[in-house]
Amino acid sequence: MKRYYHKYFEGYEEEKVPAKNGKGTRIAHTYVSYYFRQGVNEWVRIALRILYLAMSLAAFGCLLYAATSYAHCNQTPWMVVAQALTLLAFLWFAWVLAYYVCAPKEMTIYKYKSTALQMLKVCKWLTAAFLLDAAGVAADLLLFGGASEKEELLCLGSYLLGGLLILGLGLIERALPYERLSNDKEITWYRERMEWRY
């Protein structure tokens, strides 16, 4: 809990001030560090959020279709495990995406790290999970031949398409310019373009 507290209040100054009821003191937090924002205009920012939501829904549709089809691969234990991992990765992705979509235009260090940087990380993991599913279907095709070949090929295509959608989303986010903005309490902005992000 203490670690989360420090992560959340990174870039804040703490000051003891009198409590509202006049008894004792409380800690007031004032943000004094940099703000971060996407270096694009407002319309592009909104369009990107709509695009991310559309790509995410399409990728989830691919996962749902492949996992619920009557293909032989869906009866094997390794596919059940792989699909469970993909679903967990998708839940993590959905959490980050919801936070990303609701993030303010000017973000504190914590918000920047938990939206923009976290999005890059979760896209890698979810793409890898989709590829693991595709590998499971391919292994089933090799081991069991044409037990339900048409359905399995559709599953394989769905997993690959879902992985490509998430990979594309991550690449778009990586290519986006971000600006670091100074905060000197009067909120006088200067822009420092960040060409790459860690």
Side-chain angles (χ1 to χ4, degrees), residues 3-153:
R3 188 176 166 203
Y4 175 77
Y5 177 88
H6 288 299
K7 280 171 70 177
Y8 186 85
F9 286 110
E10 186 178 353
Y12 282 83
E13 269 185 1
E14 292 184 351
E15 184 184 359
K16 285 188 176 180
V17 297
K20 289 180 181 177
N21 61 8
K23 297 177 183 176
T25 59
R26 65 180 177 87
I27 295 175
H29 295 91
T30 306
Y31 190 70
V32 295
S33 190
Y34 295 103
Y35 284 95
F36 297 88
R37 74 172 170 206
Q38 289 177 343
V40 294
N41 68 43
E42 190 62 21
W43 290 109
V44 174
R45 187 171 167 270
I46 292 167
L48 280 169
R49 277 152 175 72
I50 294 168
L51 178 65
Y52 283 12
L53 287 170
M55 291 172 80
S56 305
L57 286 172
F60 185 70
C62 289
L63 175 62
L64 199 61
Y65 170 80
T68 58
S69 74
Y70 290 106
H72 179 268
C73 61
N74 286 336
Q75 300 166 24
T76 57
W78 68 76
M79 279 305 295
V80 173
V81 172
Q83 288 165 352
L85 290 173
T86 308
L87 187 59
L88 286 173
F90 218 107
L91 289 172
W92 176 27
F93 172 80
W95 176 262
V96 173
L97 181 65
Y99 204 57
Y100 181 98
V101 168
C102 298
K105 190 174 180 181
E106 279 84 31
M107 297 179 282
T108 62
I109 295 171
Y110 173 78
K111 288 215 184 279
Y112 173 68
K113 286 181 177 179
S114 58
T115 55
L117 296 186
Q118 196 74 358
M119 182 64 77
L120 296 176
K121 187 190 296 184
V122 72
C123 281
K124 287 179 192 172
W125 282 100
L126 187 52
T127 301
F130 269 110
L131 291 177
L132 180 66
D133 290 332
V137 177
D140 190 75
L141 273 167
L142 289 171
L143 290 171
F144 299 104
S148 54
E149 194 171 328
K150 184 183 174 186
E151 289 85 355
E152 297 217 358
L153 287 172

